[in-house]
Amino acid sequence: MFIDGVRTPFGRAGEKGMYWRTRADDLSVKTIRALLDRNPQIPLDRYDDVAIAATTQEGDQGLTLGRTAAILAGLPLGVPGFAIDRMCAGALTAATTMGSGVGFGAYDVAIAGGVEHMGHHPLGSGAEPNPRFVAEQLVSADALNMGKTAERLHDRFPGLTRERSDEYAMRSQQKAAAAYEAGLIQPDLVPVAIESDTGWGLAERDEGLRPETNRETLATLKTPFRPHGRVTAGNASGLNDGATASILASTAAVKEFGLKPRMRMVNFGFAGVEPEVMGLGPIPSTEKALQRAGLKIDDIGLFELNEAFAVQVLSFLDHFGIPDDDPSVNPYGGAIAFGHPLASSGVRLMNQLSRQFAEHPEVRYGVTAMCVGLGQGGTIIWENTNWNGKKHARAAASKGRN
């Protein structure tokens, strides 16, 4: 069961970003501490494990984050922890790992999350890819550049035009702005004290939001990954810093501590694809998860898809026959607006899906899915704990696919 989830506001990476003088592990500690404070009915010594993901595990983002962050957050020394890496799907994998432990009976309560400080640790920093990848033509050199893999999706599917990507990106920004205005994002945001040249302040809002985005401005942006390309800073997620954390618990723990689950993990799937078109990864991972759950895509009423690139989401929608503007897809907006601090993003998707479930008791199943660098995809299928069988099934049937 997904009990609760929180995140820091996501900041822009780099010296001008709000977290430039904030340690990565402190961001993670902040989210864990907030979870403990929000759920005081769970005794601290009853947490069975802590998994914190990071893509670049070095410096203030290294040293077995799950363990160090747990200690710094005030959990007893008897609570173990570990670090995990599946690049962008780090927190997603932390959740499936802990969820599997709960399902197996090894855990009653566990914490899963992720952190990425791309200002301190740019993607690929400190890494030394094996020269065999390129020398033996195991992958194209372009496969190590995520922006170039997104351009390849445009090449492979001519219907995925820049205009469609820009239109999708504009809607993401508009939906995120509307969600903030309606107070739908703030309940799971953890304010963070930040230091700058002007003194101390408080980060309370995602730094990369651009509600003024319009078609005309998007059309003028340069294409950094290829001359006359189609991927721009406007139709892709940014470089960001931020952290997330969530609590997963067993049915027994829910009863023992009087918890109110926000959703239930049904099944999950991870899959590999050609690294050169890594954005296609969520398609086979979703098909695998659906098959294992005994469900079809029409059974899914809400989708939280990570917007690493607009074209990547559009390829998923086209494959499953879902319109670009389907209201069941990222109703609050996505990473193009909020940001994508790599390994942390999975829990943001979970937070937003669980909030949407509460608004839509007629929807039984939802999906969180994302593409992963080097050619992977990850998907979790969730069940709405607010769903009420026959009554809502009839309501859903009267509204069509949703």
Side-chain angles (χ1 to χ4, degrees):
M1 298 283 194
F2 180 89
I3 305 302
D4 196 10
V6 298
R7 69 176 178 91
T8 68
F10 290 166
R12 290 195 183 100
E15 293 186 28
K16 296 182 180 180
M18 60 188 183
Y19 294 136
W20 180 246
R21 297 184 185 179
T22 305
R23 289 179 60 96
D25 48 9
D26 281 339
L27 290 174
S28 189
V29 168
K30 190 71 175 179
T31 59
I32 296 174
R33 188 66 252 171
L35 279 180
L36 303 183
D37 290 344
R38 283 162 57 123
N39 297 273
Q41 66 273 50
I42 305 175
L44 298 186
D45 61 359
R46 293 297 299 276
Y47 286 91
D48 292 302
D49 213 342
V50 178
I52 301 298
T55 301
T56 307
Q57 296 186 15
E58 63 179 16
D60 60 341
Q61 209 161 267
L63 198 61
T64 315
L65 272 169
R67 176 61 171 169
T68 56
I71 293 173
L72 290 166
L75 282 167
L77 295 180
V79 178
F82 62 102
I84 200 164
D85 172 25
R86 201 195 294 263
M87 297 186 77
C88 300
L92 198 77
T93 304
T96 58
T97 301
M98 293 315 209
S100 298
V102 169
F104 187 71
Y107 299 148
D108 277 319
V109 185
I111 292 175
V115 62
E116 208 74 53
H117 201 307
M118 299 183 75
H120 294 177
H121 311 286
L123 179 61
S125 66
E128 185 180 342
N130 194 300
R132 290 181 53 215
F133 277 117
V134 175
E136 298 181 17
Q137 298 185 8
L138 300 174
V139 299
S140 165
D142 288 353
L144 304 179
N145 183 304
M146 300 303 104
K148 292 182 178 180
T149 67
E151 288 284 7
R152 283 175 177 262
L153 290 184
H154 282 291
D155 295 341
R156 181 170 290 199
F157 304 105
L160 298 178
T161 63
R162 174 171 174 174
E163 290 72 23
R164 277 183 71 188
S165 287
D166 285 352
E167 185 77 16
Y168 181 90
M170 181 184 69
R171 283 197 301 272
S172 180
Q173 292 284 357
Q174 292 171 343
K175 289 189 287 187
Y180 257 101
E181 182 67 23
L184 300 173
I185 304 301
Q186 294 89 330
D188 296 325
L189 284 185
V190 180
V192 178
I194 52 174
E195 184 185 7
S196 69
D197 290 341
T198 59
W200 285 90
L202 196 64
E204 299 181 283
R205 186 179 176 91
D206 297 305
E207 197 174 17
L209 295 167
R210 298 184 297 274
E212 72 284 357
T213 297
N214 57 58
R215 298 179 187 86
E216 292 72 27
T217 301
L218 289 170
T220 66
L221 297 180
K222 296 180 179 179
T223 58
F225 303 108
R226 179 190 296 177
H228 310 294
R230 287 143 294 190
V231 178
T232 72
N235 60 35
S237 59
L239 303 178
N240 301 102
D241 308 327
T244 62
S246 64
I247 295 175
L248 299 168
S250 66
T251 302
V254 166
K255 293 179 180 178
E256 180 179 357
F257 303 126
L259 306 175
K260 294 182 179 180
R262 286 160 60 171
M263 55 188 183
R264 181 182 72 88
M265 187 182 297
V266 176
N267 218 309
F268 62 87
F270 292 95
V273 296
E274 299 169 74
E276 291 82 359
V277 285
M278 67 94 191
L280 296 179
I283 294 173
S285 66
T286 299
E287 291 174 332
K288 183 182 289 187
L290 289 169
Q291 189 274 328
R292 288 175 172 169
L295 298 173
K296 298 179 180 179
I297 197 68
D298 288 345
D299 295 315
I300 307 302
L302 286 165
F303 296 83
E304 271 297 322
L305 307 176
N306 191 49
E307 298 169 355
F309 302 94
V311 67
Q312 173 261 314
V313 177
L314 293 172
S315 68
F316 180 98
L317 299 182
D318 280 3
H319 178 84
F320 288 110
I322 302 170
D324 292 5
D325 58 354
D326 193 305
S328 68
V329 177
N330 293 6
Y332 297 172
I336 289 172
F338 298 117
H340 174 32
L342 300 183
S344 72
S345 287
V347 171
R348 180 189 65 78
L349 303 179
M350 297 172 205
N351 284 343
Q352 292 187 195
L353 179 63
S354 69
R355 294 297 179 185
Q356 292 151 21
F357 272 159
E359 294 179 15
H360 294 281
E362 78 281 4
V363 171
R364 184 173 185 180
Y365 297 111
V367 152
T368 54
M370 59 202 318
C371 62
V372 188
L374 297 182
Q376 299 182 81
T379 301
I380 305 177
I381 298 174
W382 301 91
E383 184 176 30
N384 188 356
T385 52
N386 302 289
W387 185 76
N388 186 16
K390 295 180 180 179
K391 174 182 176 181
H392 292 131
R394 286 195 298 269
S398 70
K399 296 181 181 179
R401 191 179 69 82
N402 293 326

